[in-house]
Amino acid sequence: SSNMTGSSPLTFILTGIPSLPMSSSWVAWPLCCLYVLMLLGNCTLLWMIGTDHSLHTPMYYFLSMLATADLGLSLSTLPTMLAIFCFQSTSLPFEACIVQMYFIHSFSAIESGVLVAMAFDRFVAICHPLRYASVLTSSLVTKAGGAIFLRGVCVVVPVAILIKKMPFCGSHVLSHSFCLHQDVLRLVCGDVRVNSLYGLTAVILTKGLDVLTILLSYTMIIRAILSIVSQEARAKAFSTCISHLCAVLIFYIPLISLSIIHRFGKHLPPLTHTLLADAYLLVPPVLNPLVYSWKTKRIRRRILILLCPRG
C-alpha cells in the first residue's frame, strides 16, 4: 500500500539545511524573523487596501490578491519549517505531506496567475489609458480573481491523487524542509511516467503560458512607451511597471532555477537544491510587500501617515 510501511503508516523524513545542525539558532531566529516580516508586510497591505477607499482600484485589488497568495504560500511551509528548525522534529506523515504539497503548488499557481492579471492591468493602463475604466471593471476583476483561484485549486488535484496511489519503498528521506511534488516523486518505487507527464503538462499550461503572456504584455508595453515623445512622460509610464517587474523576477527566477536543477542538476550539491527551494517559497512573500511599499506612492504615503499621524 502506498501509505503503509509494514504495519505502520508511511512517514517521510524532512531535511533541514545540509551541513548545518537543525538546532542552530543561526537558522531558527532568522527564519522566525522572515515569517514575522512576511505576515506583517502582507497583512498590512491587505489592511491598507481594505480600509482606504482611494486604493479601491483594479491595480490594488490585484495587489491584494498577490498578498493573499503570498500569505497562503508562506503559511503552507510554516508548520514543517518551524518544526524542523525550532523543535528539531523531522518526521511528517504521508497524508500531511500530500496536503502540504497540494497547498504549496496551488498557491504557487495562483500567484503566477495574479502576476499575469497585473501585467494585463499595466498593459491596459499604458497602451489604452482612455479605456482603462471601461475595460477593467469591478465585474471583470472579480471574474479574473475567481478564474485564477479555480485554476490554481483544480490543476493540482490530479497531482495529489496520482501521488497518493503510488507505492513507496526504500528511502523516505526528502531533500527539503517541506513537500514538493518533484521531491516526493523521486522516492516512488513504481512507474511514475503518468505523474511526471501530468506534472510537466500542468507546469507548461500554467506557469509556462503565464511567462509567455507576461512577456507578450511587456513587449507591447515597451513599444507603447518608446512611442511616447516626451522623455519625462516615458519615464513616468515605465516607473508604474517597476514594482510589477520586480515581483515577476522575484517569483520566476527562483522557480525556473529550481525546475532546471531538479531535472538537470542532480550532480549539484544538496545545499544548492535546498537554498533555491527556500528562496522560491520564502523570498517573494517577504520582498513583495517591501517592493510595493517602496515603489508605490499611494502605499508609501499611507504608511508615512500611519507612522507619523501628526505630520
Side-chain angles (χ1 to χ4, degrees), residues 55 74 111 124 133 137 167 202 230 247-248 257 264 272 275 300 302:
L55 301 180
S74 292
E111 179 154 352
V124 176
T137 61
S230 168
V248 169
S257 302
F264 307 109
T272 305
L275 293 180
R300 189 168 66 245
R302 178 77 166 152

Side-chain angles (χ1 to χ4, degrees), residues 239-252:
S239 68
T240 64
C241 300
I242 292 178
S243 298
H244 178 253
L245 278 173
C246 289
V248 169
L249 295 175
I250 289 168
F251 180 77
Y252 282 110

Side-chain angles (χ1 to χ4, degrees), residues 158-192:
V159 172
I161 293 174
L162 288 170
I163 201 75
K164 189 172 176 60
K165 296 180 178 180
M166 291 290 102
F168 292 87
C169 51
S171 174
H172 295 151
V173 179
L174 298 172
S175 56
H176 300 299
S177 305
F178 32 77
C179 290
L180 295 177
H181 178 245
Q182 307 95 314
D183 199 19
V184 176
L185 203 59
R186 70 180 180 82
L187 301 182
V188 174
C189 55
D191 188 356
V192 297

Side-chain angles (χ1 to χ4, degrees), residues 15-28 84-86 88 90:
T15 302
I17 298 178
S19 76
L20 283 179
M22 288 183 297
S23 59
S24 174
S25 59
W26 291 99
V27 178
I84 290 175
F85 294 109
C86 295
Q88 292 79 58
T90 60

